[in-house]
Amino acid sequence: MSERADERLQKVLARAGIASRRQSEKMISEGRVKVNGQTVTEMGTRVDIGGDLIEIDGRPISRPEEKVYLLLNKPSGFITSLDDPRGRPKVVDLVKDLPYRLYPVGRLDMETEGLLLLTNDGDLCYRLSHPRFGVEKTYQANVLGVPSAQKLKTLEQGMVLEDGPTAPARVRVIGQEAGNGILLVTIHEGRKRQVRRMLETIGHPVMRLKRTQYGFLDLKGVKVGSYRRLTEEEVTRLHGLAAGEVKPLRHKTKKEAAVRRKGFD
Ligand code: URA
């Protein structure tokens, strides 16, 4: 058994669709299961589905690909596309120590920083990216000048961009630096350069943009350029998000205050 032996043999067999948990236990006790060439009859033996060769009656079981879910803190200057004829740095380069083909959930502009999910779970990736399930995304935007309350209202009511009207956004000025505003903008759509275009349209172009939240997830503890795996509980919640319908945006003062404290790294 390899060093990463971390799941009970009968559970692995059941999950691989070989048999029910009970039937799997029976096969083990009957001596029909081998791990790395050795017959295993002890119930609860731990194995690594990725590294151990598991055979039943001499036939290896096929390994379902492990599903991987990562939360990356994207630096500016990396593209989310998987291929680039111009050879620019790619976000997938930042996770190439892992032996999986991972895809970004949605996209961020090359210059945008912050929270990006990566996974090899194609179904979840598709559903989370679909506007129907519109997950709330919050961006911290440093803009030129400080928008008036009236202009912020335009964003909150929904505005017309060249590719159509936007849904209402949640917007708040959380600070100022040398006469320029720092805003939190929450949207649940994912149109190309949407936040930049919205702010440009009200006359306050974005100088720096960072996604600080994706649904219930934030960047806590993840340094720029690094990533962490989502916990099982987070993955379950993410599946829940992907199954839900869009809820109307409303202000969440406490959360926003927390995002504000984190600020840019
Ligand atoms: N909105 C933008 O303008 N850019 C991003 O990268 C994400 C949202």
Side-chain angles (χ1 to χ4, degrees):
M1 274 119 274
S2 76
E3 278 180 13
R4 284 178 51 213
D6 46 18
E7 274 205 277
R8 288 169 188 274
L9 181 55
Q10 62 268 40
K11 190 172 166 195
V12 167
L13 296 182
R15 259 204 313 127
I18 306 294
S20 70
R21 184 83 70 95
R22 257 188 111 100
Q23 289 164 335
S24 302
E25 286 172 359
K26 191 159 172 276
M27 287 194 288
I28 295 169
S29 61
E30 287 171 352
R32 295 168 58 193
V33 182
K34 281 186 181 166
V35 178
N36 300 330
Q38 285 188 329
T39 303
V40 170
T41 51
E42 199 182 319
M43 223 48 68
T45 299
R46 292 192 167 261
V47 292
D48 168 19
I49 183 82
D52 291 326
L53 172 66
I54 302 167
E55 293 165 288
I56 298 172
D57 299 333
R59 282 194 300 274
I61 66 165
S62 59
R63 298 167 179 166
E65 195 192 18
E66 186 195 356
K67 295 275 191 285
V68 181
Y69 306 87
L70 304 181
L71 186 160
L72 172 79
N73 190 345
K74 175 190 175 303
S76 173
F78 285 74
I79 60 165
T80 48
S81 314
L82 298 178
D83 297 304
D84 182 41
R86 289 159 64 188
R88 292 172 295 180
K90 301 190 281 281
V91 291
V92 285
D93 297 338
L94 297 166
V95 297
K96 65 174 176 228
D97 53 319
L98 296 174
Y100 305 99
R101 187 159 169 78
L102 299 169
Y103 306 90
V105 177
R107 61 184 167 219
L108 288 178
D109 304 331
M110 181 163 164
E111 323 85 85
T112 303
E113 305 158 55
L115 201 161
L116 182 69
L117 295 180
L118 295 154
T119 183
N120 55 356
D121 183 338
D123 183 48
L124 184 77
C125 188
Y126 169 77
R127 283 184 296 132
L128 285 176
S129 311
H130 198 286
R132 184 154 83 94
F133 300 106
V135 179
E136 281 191 14
K137 287 145 273 198
T138 298
Y139 298 86
Q140 184 167 318
N142 285 35
V143 297
L144 199 62
V146 181
S148 65
Q150 186 58 39
K151 285 187 172 173
L152 296 183
K153 213 164 179 188
T154 317
L155 305 182
E156 288 182 333
Q157 286 171 340
M159 60 195 296
V160 179
L161 296 177
E162 63 195 22
D163 54 351
T166 65
R170 202 165 63 230
V171 191
R172 178 151 307 173
V173 178
I174 58 163
Q176 281 192 39
E177 247 172 37
N180 296 316
I182 306 173
L183 316 183
L184 281 186
V185 181
T186 303
I187 59 173
H188 59 70
E189 301 166 290
R191 281 146 62 177
K192 210 165 177 216
R193 300 181 77 82
Q194 183 168 345
V195 175
R196 292 176 196 276
R197 288 189 293 136
M198 285 163 64
L199 290 162
E200 174 97 46
T201 305
I202 61 161
H204 295 277
V206 169
M207 300 187 294
R208 190 174 179 190
L209 192 64
K210 177 177 182 174
R211 181 150 73 189
T212 55
Q213 277 195 254
Y214 185 95
F216 59 91
L217 295 165
D218 63 30
L219 286 167
K220 204 159 98 201
V222 185
K223 293 203 181 90
V224 177
S226 58
Y227 65 85
R228 70 167 175 88
R229 284 188 189 235
L230 296 187
T231 63
E232 259 180 52
E233 193 200 327
E234 287 170 333
V235 173
T236 305
R237 283 184 74 185
L238 216 47
H239 276 102
L241 268 189
E245 298 288 340
V246 176
K247 292 184 197 76
L249 288 167
R250 64 196 158 73
H251 287 277
K252 287 184 199 161
T253 347
K254 269 192 187 161
K255 241 189 201 163
E256 285 180 351
V259 173
R260 178 189 178 171
R261 277 196 300 279
K262 277 193 287 290
F264 284 119
D265 289 317

